[in-house]
Each structure stands twice: as structure tokens, then as C-alpha cells.
Amino acid sequence: MEPESVRLPVINESRAEGVTATLYAEMREHFGLGLVPDVFKLVSTRPEFLQVFWDGYRSVFGAGLLERDVKELIAAFVAREVSCAYCVDAHVLFLRLVGADERMEASLRHAEIDDMPLPEATRILLRLAAQVTHQAYRITDDDFADARAAGWSDGQLLEAVWTACQFNWVTRMASALGLTTLGQLAELGETPVTG
């Protein structure tokens, strides 16, 4: 299939050269999906942006103090909050691929955090992610005290805030540039991964 367009030019894998080709190869190997996820292609005409994006992704999903499924949930939740369909679908897919508890994906169907079928400690992290997304300037010391009382360490809280912040910029970029569906930028012969 021919790739659908987005609002700015992209470099697909078959045309990538230099730094872009090297980064694409790293991504292809890392994800093991047989393709580079569409969202990275959005900045492919600027290899320095692509490098920062890739480094940011790995800073979130590399080794850390929070479990991978919790970080994927935060990413999907932020995407849901800002109506980025592509990002919700991508991180729900990753929730499935990492074998997350089905309640994590199911929680995204609930409008209110308090109604989500999750442990209270996880809901507290999502409340913090919601505040980062909608009104970071209103976060208080009490919000962090509540999270610590629920058992989250300062290192885990920093990671949760970092994850929410990373996905606030990624979701806005994806939406602004017109990325809406998984596989939207797949090239002829690529099979989009849709879950």
C-alpha cells in the first residue's frame, strides 16, 4: 500500500540515508515489528530532531524504576486526555505486547480516574499525569505527599512526571502533523502492526 500523507514531508525507510538510516535501523531492531513506528518518521527530515526523539523514547522505556506497563499506561492515558488516537492505539498495542494486566487497557475506557479498575496507587500516578497534562502549574507539595504515601518513591515520581511530559509533546506533534492511525505511513510491502 502507498503511505498516506501527513502535513509535512517524511523520509520512509526505503529512502533513508546517513544518520536517519542508522537511527531507523536501531528502531527496527529495538521494536522488532518489521518497521519503524510512524511517529518517528514525522521528524525524519531533521536527523537531529529524530535523534532527540529516539533518545527521549529510550529515556522513558529503557530501564527504570517504574514497571514498563505503568509507563505505557501513563503514555496511553496522556494520549487519551489530549485526543491523540494514534498514540492511544500505539500504547494500547504496547500494553498488550508487554503482557500488561487487561485492567490497564480497560481503564482507558473510563472517563474518570476514580472509576478505573486499577489499584489506588496507580490511579494516584494517573491523577498526577492528568495534572501535568492539563494544569501543571496547579500541582502542589500535597500531590507529591499523597503519591509518596501511596508507596511511590521520589525516583518513581520523577519517572512518572517525565513520562507524562514526554508524551504531552509527542501527542501534540502527532496530532499537529496529521498522524491519526497505526500504519498510516507504512510503505508498500510493510504490514502495519495494529494489535
Side-chain angles (χ1 to χ4, degrees):
M1 82 176 135
E2 286 297 313
E4 292 183 39
S5 66
V6 288
R7 295 186 176 109
L8 292 174
V10 300
I11 298 172
N12 279 309
E13 287 184 79
S14 63
R15 294 194 178 102
E17 298 176 347
V19 173
T20 301
T22 300
L23 291 170
Y24 276 2
E26 287 178 27
M27 292 172 197
R28 183 181 266 271
E29 182 178 339
H30 172 81
F31 290 106
L33 301 173
L35 51 80
V36 172
D38 298 328
V39 71
F40 290 101
K41 294 176 185 177
L42 294 175
V43 296
S44 58
T45 61
R46 296 287 300 270
E48 69 276 24
F49 291 1
L50 184 59
Q51 181 70 64
V52 169
F53 189 0
W54 181 228
D55 290 344
Y57 177 88
R58 290 183 302 177
S59 75
V60 171
F61 293 114
L65 302 174
L66 288 176
E67 295 295 326
R68 172 72 187 259
D69 57 353
V70 172
K71 291 185 275 191
E72 291 291 356
L73 178 62
I74 292 170
F77 175 78
V78 167
R80 183 197 84 171
E81 290 295 290
V82 299
S83 302
C84 180
Y86 170 87
C87 297
V88 170
D89 290 346
H91 292 283
V92 164
L93 171 64
F94 284 124
L95 279 169
R96 291 178 191 152
L97 291 175
V98 300
D101 185 316
E102 292 177 3
R103 291 178 297 174
M104 289 194 161
E105 180 182 342
S107 71
L108 296 168
R109 291 189 279 276
H110 295 272
E112 300 300 325
I113 293 171
D114 289 338
D115 296 334
M116 294 179 171
L118 298 168
E120 180 58 20
T122 304
R123 287 198 298 260
I124 286 172
L125 280 189
L126 291 184
R127 286 187 199 103
L128 188 59
Q131 287 179 285
V132 167
T133 302
H134 299 296
Q135 50 191 7
Y137 66 95
R138 297 183 78 178
I139 294 173
T140 68
D141 293 345
D142 289 342
D143 296 313
F144 279 84
D146 291 345
R148 286 184 191 103
W152 299 110
S153 70
D154 287 349
Q156 289 172 314
L157 291 173
L158 179 58
E159 213 167 290
V161 170
W162 180 253
T163 301
C165 289
Q166 288 288 316
F167 282 91
N168 265 281
W169 83 258
V170 170
T171 55
R172 284 162 169 81
M173 181 185 65
S175 294
L177 296 180
L179 187 60
T180 58
T181 57
L182 294 178
Q184 183 174 335
L185 299 175
E187 292 182 271
L188 185 63
E190 287 182 333
T191 303
V193 179
T194 58

